[in-house]
């Protein structure tokens, strides 16, 4: 059995979501062979040095989450992770301490009898030109190195300001800008061999049917997590189903 989750947006300010996630790691997830986290595990990630000894306060919650992930991988469950638009600074230290494997986005998952392509989904929101420009900049090695060279408190303040700016901008954006572009998505499905696409990011859970070059292709959009419930997709070797986690 393989489980997929996305868009938890874990943060100290949302302890109920963290509790649901920790219960999931200690319970439901232990029955899986593999767990894939398709981005935005954290609401924000300032850099792996937030896990370093001596950091106090809010950063201790990240240490607890990483410890729970490590306990999962030590139990024998494979853990793989994609960067999201909120936590694209997750790095080698995080992967080493959690036991996770960082995947490139997109990632083709070939299984006996089926093939999936996994993505966070933000790269498909091509109508949002301002976001795509920032995404391209923030994925550059020079930009990341310069940002991580700043002090941890300075990075945390910059991230807070960017989050506030992003939330304010959403109020003025047309609804379609925050969803995938269908033509770009069809091109993506064609490029990846008409595999079933699983992604998050848009917070619009649904199963979509695409007809690409006369071929029926499914696209599964995962839900974000709330104080009341989380969600995972479950592949049992034959079917993909949606499960609510409370």
């Amino acid at each position: 059995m393989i489980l997929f989750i996305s868009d938890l947006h874990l943060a100290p300010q949302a302890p109920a979501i963290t509790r649901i996630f920790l219960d999931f790691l200690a319970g439901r997830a232990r029955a899986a062979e593999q767990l894939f986290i398709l981005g935005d595990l954290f609401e924000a990630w300032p850099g792996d040095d937030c896990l370093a000894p001596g950091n106090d306060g809010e950063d201790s919650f990240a240490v607890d989450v990483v410890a729970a992930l490590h306990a999962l991988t030590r139990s024998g469950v494979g853990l793989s992770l994609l960067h999201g638009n909120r936590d694209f600074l997750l790095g080698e230290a995080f992967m080493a301490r959690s036991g996770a494997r960082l995947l490139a986005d997109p990632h083709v998952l070939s299984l006996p009898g089926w093939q999936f392509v996994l993505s966070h989904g933000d790269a498909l929101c091509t109508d949002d030109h301002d976001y795509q420009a920032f995404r391209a900049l923030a994925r550059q090695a020079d930009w990341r190195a310069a940002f991580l060279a700043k002090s941890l408190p300075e990075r945390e303040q910059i991230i807070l300001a960017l989050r506030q700016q992003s939330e304010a901008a959403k109020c003025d954006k047309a609804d379609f800008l925050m969803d995938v572009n269908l033509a770009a998505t069809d091109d993506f499905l064609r490029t990846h061999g008409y595999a079933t696409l699983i992604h998050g990011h848009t917070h619009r859970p649904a199963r979509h049917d695409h007809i690409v070059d006369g071929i029926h292709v499914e696209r599964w959009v995962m839900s974000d997590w709330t104080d009341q419930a989380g969600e995972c997709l479950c592949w049992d070797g034959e079917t993909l189903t949606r499960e609510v986690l409370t």
Side-chain angles (χ1 to χ4, degrees):
M1 178 176 58
I2 299 175
L3 301 179
F4 306 89
I5 60 175
S6 179
D7 295 277
L8 286 74
H9 296 276
L10 299 178
Q13 298 80 12
I17 299 177
T18 302
R19 183 73 264 157
I20 294 171
F21 181 55
L22 295 179
D23 288 345
F24 167 73
L25 293 180
R28 179 72 178 95
R30 297 295 177 98
E33 298 173 20
Q34 297 186 69
L35 171 64
F36 289 86
I37 303 175
L38 304 191
D40 284 359
L41 173 61
F42 294 97
E43 171 68 4
W45 189 259
D48 288 356
D49 53 341
C50 72
L51 299 171
N55 287 320
D56 300 319
E58 292 188 352
D59 293 331
S60 64
F61 118 94
V63 173
D64 293 340
V65 171
V66 170
L69 290 169
H70 187 229
L72 178 74
T73 58
R74 286 184 61 191
S75 75
V77 179
L79 176 62
S80 300
L81 182 142
L82 296 179
H83 282 145
N85 57 297
R86 298 281 189 171
D87 55 9
F88 58 87
L89 290 174
L90 288 168
E92 292 180 2
F94 173 89
M95 303 304 158
R97 287 186 57 167
S98 65
R101 174 181 59 143
L102 180 62
L103 303 177
D105 186 350
H107 174 76
V108 175
L109 177 62
S110 295
L111 301 171
W114 208 257
Q115 184 162 284
F116 295 96
V117 58
L118 312 178
S119 177
H120 180 56
D122 57 328
L124 297 174
C125 298
T126 57
D127 292 314
D128 191 344
H129 302 300
D130 290 340
Y131 170 70
Q132 293 300 330
F134 173 76
R135 185 182 189 277
L137 175 66
R139 297 309 195 271
Q140 294 178 8
D142 290 347
W143 186 95
R144 293 161 64 102
F147 184 79
L148 291 172
K150 301 178 186 297
S151 70
L152 180 59
E154 186 177 3
R155 276 179 269 142
E156 290 173 334
Q157 287 301 311
I158 293 172
I159 288 172
L160 177 60
L162 288 173
R163 285 170 55 198
Q164 291 172 340
Q165 181 181 350
S166 174
E167 290 303 314
K170 285 181 182 179
C171 298
D172 297 325
K173 285 185 178 180
D175 193 55
F176 76 93
L177 293 176
M178 293 180 283
D179 203 353
V180 301
N181 177 283
L182 293 180
T185 301
D186 284 352
D187 286 342
F188 178 92
L189 296 171
R190 181 180 295 111
T191 298
H192 292 90
Y194 313 101
T196 298
L197 171 59
I198 302 177
H199 73 84
H201 180 65
T202 64
H203 302 182
R204 301 177 183 190
R207 185 187 68 81
H208 299 275
D209 296 303
H210 291 251
I211 303 300
V212 184
D213 304 329
I215 300 171
H216 172 235
V217 187
E218 291 186 355
R219 175 169 64 95
W220 289 70
V221 186
M222 292 187 292
S223 174
D224 58 322
W225 289 36
T226 70
D227 289 345
Q228 289 73 44
E231 180 194 87
C232 68
L233 297 182
C234 174
W235 173 254
D236 65 3
E238 296 182 357
T239 58
L240 191 62
T241 55
R242 197 179 297 270
E243 298 183 13
V244 175
L245 307 166
T246 59

